[in-house]
Amino acid sequence: MKSVWVIAKKEFRSFLSSPGFYVLAGVFLLILSFSYISMFQAFANAVQKGNFNPFNAPEMNLHNGVFMGFIHWINLLFIFVVPALMGRVFADEKRMRSFDLLMTSPLTSTQIVLGKFIGAVLAIWLMVLISSIYPISASLFAELQWGKLFTGYMGLFFVAAIYTAAGMFCSSITESVVLATIFGVILNLGFWIVAWMSVHAESELAMTIVEHISVGQHMELFNKGLLESASVVFCLSLIAFFCFLSERIVESARWRS
Amino acid sequence: MIEVQGLTKSYGNNLAINKLNFSVKKGEVVGFLGPNGAGKSTTMKIVTGFMAPTSGSVEVAGFDVFEKPIEVKKRIGYLPETPPLYMDMRIRKYLEYVAEIKMVDRASIQKNVAYALEKTDLSDVQNRLIGNLSKGFKQRVGIAQALVSDPEILILDEPTVGLDPNQVLEIRDLITGLKETHHTVLLSTHILSEVQATCERIIIINKGEIVAEDTLEGLNQKMSGTRQMKIRVRRPDGSFEGKIKGISGVKEVSSVGMGEFAIEIDRNDDVQEELAQMIIQSGAGLMEFRSDTKSLEDIFIQLTGKSQSEVNI
């Protein structure tokens, strides 16, 4: 476990010392700021109109009107931002040959992969935490539904971890950072597209299956304030699955090289 | 300390190394010599546990590399062909990180890092970013990372590449020093003078096979049943060369000019004594009489079938 932590610390530090991290985090927050403002304005307009239509009142709250969309936006941005950050994790190590150091040190492939994953996910979670400035600042002048916000953010932590694990896997299969990033984005979009497929599924069974394996569907539940054990188990399984695949790829380097 | 048996690695139909057998004893400095592409790096990667062989076995410090890889890796310091560096780290932080992943005791990390920095003469630049260093400095950081865990066994793949002549000498002194502290060193190179200067034993590998394995002296003897003599006399007369040829055991005589002669004789002290006596008695005025051993370069060319121009000296 000590070795895992050593690698995680190094990975976390290398994220924080990379200019790319700050550029991407900056772009992420900039887009988020614009979308937050526009969602707030749209909500204000809707509230004004809603005053004349009392039937809309129960649905008309800050969480449904602003923060659900806001959390969706973060998720959408992460589909692109996380692979861009994760692309270098293994690809760079292979390209710069520092991978040789890891492979000839007294470490197992599992320790290497877990260390990298933990370091990377902590850096990406840092971005999730920074995004919480928006709801916290809103709470100064409005009453928020903290429970729903909490589960929504919990969903974000899970989704970020899934994208991190998937990005790590994509980075482990190539020496090119650009290719790893592209693979990562395609994979993340795939998780999203599955959610749309459920609408077109013909049989009920197919629909249920597609709904269960869609990251978007589970995120939707978290965002609505539902904390279901099925969703938690699904997210953890997906993270474990991609960590396992990455471990297999790292281990196979001994045989393929 | 290192036992390699029947080691074979093939890439598809291409055989990189073929049934290698060799061993390195504790405290020995062994040179692994061969032309580019002979299979040196492949062998080293397998010995360090980085790569799996197609067949064969490797034991390091009594542990099988493939059954107990962690035990083996704890005991090895490895410098690959390209130093495994992180360009965004500072030298000291990098060495501390390597020490940590090599499972050095927390209490010894600073001591080991200071030792590695001092041995590779990097103390003055320890806080510089690795990405900003010159090739020579990067190579030294690579050597420092191999030393930082104070391993029993050091496997160095072309350690002096990219270094200036002074640094090359320092690294050679360092390797000689490691021998005194009972470290076992397996050193690969295609620079012959490096092997000559640092190694007690030489393994010459060509096209994936060991073509010779002995001490430099032993290789010399094996390679040739004859001995090269060089003599210089002040007044060689016309019959001088003929007189030398007349001695039994003299194979060949050739005049190099300016009174110098290269003589090939049987590897036999009596012949050498008789030759010396004859020259003195001839009154030709002996100025120089020496045995000219074959250089490693000659042996290498003979064994690997490379022309002089292909050998890096």
Side-chain angles (χ1 to χ4, degrees):
Chain A
M1 199 57 206
K2 187 177 161 262
S3 301
V4 172
W5 187 237
V6 170
I7 296 174
K9 261 195 315 189
K10 194 244 151 219
E11 199 58 42
F12 183 70
R13 283 197 191 125
S14 87
F15 264 94
L16 294 197
S17 63
S18 133
F21 179 76
Y22 293 98
V23 170
L24 280 165
V27 171
F28 164 75
L29 288 172
L30 194 72
I31 298 174
L32 211 56
S33 299
F34 281 119
S35 62
Y36 181 66
I37 292 166
S38 68
M39 278 186 288
F40 231 113
Q41 278 172 342
F43 175 67
N45 290 339
V47 167
Q48 275 182 341
K49 286 177 193 158
N51 284 340
F52 302 103
N53 184 359
F55 294 108
N56 279 342
E59 293 296 310
M60 198 61 74
N61 61 49
L62 202 56
H63 186 83
N64 290 352
V66 177
F67 289 111
M68 265 181 86
F70 177 73
I71 286 170
H72 268 304
W73 258 100
I74 297 177
N75 184 16
L76 188 71
L77 289 173
F78 271 174
I79 287 178
F80 301 93
V81 171
V82 176
L85 287 170
M86 291 303 292
R88 46 160 279 281
V89 169
F90 273 113
D92 242 13
E93 294 255 11
K94 287 185 188 171
R95 200 168 52 85
M96 302 304 293
R97 313 303 307 166
S98 49
F99 191 60
D100 298 20
L101 173 68
L102 294 176
M103 296 303 275
T104 54
S105 294
L107 301 166
T108 60
S109 307
T110 311
Q111 285 172 325
I112 296 171
V113 167
L114 278 183
K116 291 238 165 222
F117 173 74
I118 293 170
V121 86
L122 288 178
I124 286 159
W125 280 352
L126 203 62
M127 290 170 70
V128 180
L129 281 179
I130 293 171
S131 76
S132 67
I133 292 170
Y134 299 91
I136 289 171
S137 60
S139 73
L140 296 175
F141 55 86
E143 209 169 288
L144 302 186
Q145 288 178 296
W146 288 108
K148 283 185 176 178
L149 210 54
F150 176 76
T151 56
Y153 260 79
M154 206 167 156
L156 274 182
F157 280 113
F158 276 127
V159 165
I162 291 171
Y163 295 159
T164 304
M168 179 171 72
F169 163 67
C170 294
S171 185
S172 72
I173 56 175
T174 172
E175 275 186 28
S176 157
V177 177
V178 177
L179 274 183
T181 305
I182 294 170
F183 289 156
V185 171
I186 293 171
L187 201 60
N188 292 352
L189 284 174
F191 295 142
W192 209 239
I193 288 165
V194 171
W196 299 338
M197 274 166 54
S198 66
V199 183
H200 304 290
E202 290 195 359
S203 79
E204 203 155 308
L205 179 70
M207 192 186 279
T208 319
I209 291 172
V210 169
E211 268 178 14
H212 272 91
I213 59 165
S214 153
V215 174
Q217 291 287 341
H218 290 283
M219 186 64 217
E220 191 72 35
L221 295 178
F222 280 119
N223 214 353
K224 282 180 181 161
L226 292 168
L227 188 58
E228 286 192 0
S229 55
S231 298
V232 174
V233 170
F234 169 77
C235 291
L236 291 177
S237 312
L238 212 53
I239 294 165
F241 176 65
F242 281 111
C243 284
F244 169 74
L245 286 185
S246 308
E247 188 275 330
R248 289 287 84 198
I249 299 284
V250 169
E251 183 62 26
S252 74
R254 290 185 216 283
W255 307 96
R256 285 186 296 129
S257 52
Chain B
M1 206 64 174
I2 304 176
E3 287 286 338
V4 172
Q5 281 186 346
L7 204 63
T8 301
K9 175 78 184 176
S10 58
Y11 299 100
N13 294 327
N14 198 354
L15 212 54
I17 52 171
N18 188 15
K19 292 179 188 153
L20 293 192
N21 292 301
F22 68 88
S23 62
V24 180
K25 292 190 201 80
K26 190 173 164 55
E28 238 186 340
V29 178
V30 173
F32 211 50
L33 193 67
N36 292 328
K40 303 186 295 280
S41 295
T42 304
T43 311
M44 291 190 145
K45 280 181 181 172
I46 296 173
V47 173
T48 54
F50 177 81
M51 188 194 267
T54 308
S55 64
S57 72
V58 181
E59 251 183 40
V60 174
F63 296 101
D64 188 289
V65 171
F66 313 105
E67 281 169 17
K68 299 265 180 206
I70 302 290
E71 290 303 323
V72 169
K73 288 171 185 178
K74 272 187 204 167
R75 290 165 173 81
I76 286 183
Y78 172 49
L79 170 71
E81 262 176 306
T82 312
L85 308 174
Y86 292 102
M87 299 304 156
D88 58 346
M89 285 180 103
R90 293 177 196 279
I91 297 174
R92 191 181 184 89
K93 286 280 167 212
Y94 167 71
L95 292 177
E96 285 171 0
Y97 169 66
V98 176
E100 279 187 281
I101 59 170
K102 295 265 180 176
M103 294 182 174
V104 174
D105 291 340
R106 190 162 279 277
S108 312
I109 288 179
Q110 293 306 325
K111 191 184 83 198
N112 283 19
V113 169
Y115 165 80
L117 285 169
E118 187 213 313
K119 285 288 179 190
T120 47
D121 206 10
L122 287 167
S123 303
D124 293 341
V125 290
Q126 57 179 287
N127 291 319
R128 281 184 61 184
L129 266 181
I130 293 173
N132 295 339
L133 298 175
S134 68
K135 188 175 184 325
F137 269 105
K138 283 180 185 155
Q139 186 68 18
R140 279 151 73 181
V141 180
I143 297 170
Q145 67 79 28
L147 288 173
V148 78
S149 57
D150 193 20
E152 292 169 51
I153 303 157
L154 271 154
I155 296 185
L156 308 173
D157 201 347
E158 309 206 358
T160 55
V161 168
L163 302 185
D164 68 36
N166 283 332
Q167 292 163 352
V168 169
L169 284 179
E170 280 167 21
I171 296 304
R172 282 182 193 167
D173 286 346
L174 169 70
I175 294 168
T176 316
L178 286 169
K179 185 181 170 289
E180 281 156 20
T181 48
H182 308 294
H183 285 82
T184 308
V185 183
L186 180 62
L187 171 89
S188 111
T189 181
H190 60 277
I191 303 172
L192 306 176
S193 54
E194 195 160 287
V195 177
Q196 219 151 2
T198 50
C199 302
E200 302 155 76
R201 205 150 61 79
I202 300 163
I203 298 169
I204 301 182
I205 176 171
N206 188 36
K207 292 176 186 160
E209 289 180 10
I210 292 177
V211 286
E213 182 186 353
D214 209 335
T215 57
L216 184 56
E217 188 72 7
L219 277 177
N220 255 321
Q221 295 206 351
K222 271 186 197 164
M223 291 307 296
S224 158
T226 60
R227 184 177 288 166
Q228 292 281 336
M229 301 297 299
K230 280 270 167 68
I231 65 159
R232 188 160 65 87
V233 290
R234 278 179 94 173
R235 296 174 297 277
D237 56 24
S239 62
F240 184 72
E241 205 172 315
K243 281 179 194 166
I244 298 173
K245 279 182 181 159
I247 300 168
S248 72
V250 171
K251 300 261 183 203
E252 209 181 316
V253 181
S254 56
S255 171
V256 186
M258 305 287 285
E260 261 193 56
F261 293 88
I263 306 164
E264 198 177 330
I265 62 170
D266 279 344
R267 191 172 280 279
N268 180 338
D269 289 349
D270 292 343
V271 181
Q272 199 166 334
E273 190 183 335
E274 203 179 324
L275 177 67
Q277 266 178 359
M278 189 286 293
I279 299 167
I280 291 165
Q281 281 164 6
S282 72
L286 180 64
M287 302 299 291
E288 201 179 329
F289 185 89
R290 64 187 161 91
S291 164
D292 194 22
T293 52
K294 245 182 181 178
S295 70
L296 181 57
E297 177 196 336
D298 296 325
I299 298 170
F300 184 82
I301 291 167
Q302 203 170 331
L303 287 170
T304 61
K306 295 272 165 182
S307 70
Q308 179 94 17
S309 61
E310 285 174 83
V311 180
N312 194 344
I313 304 155

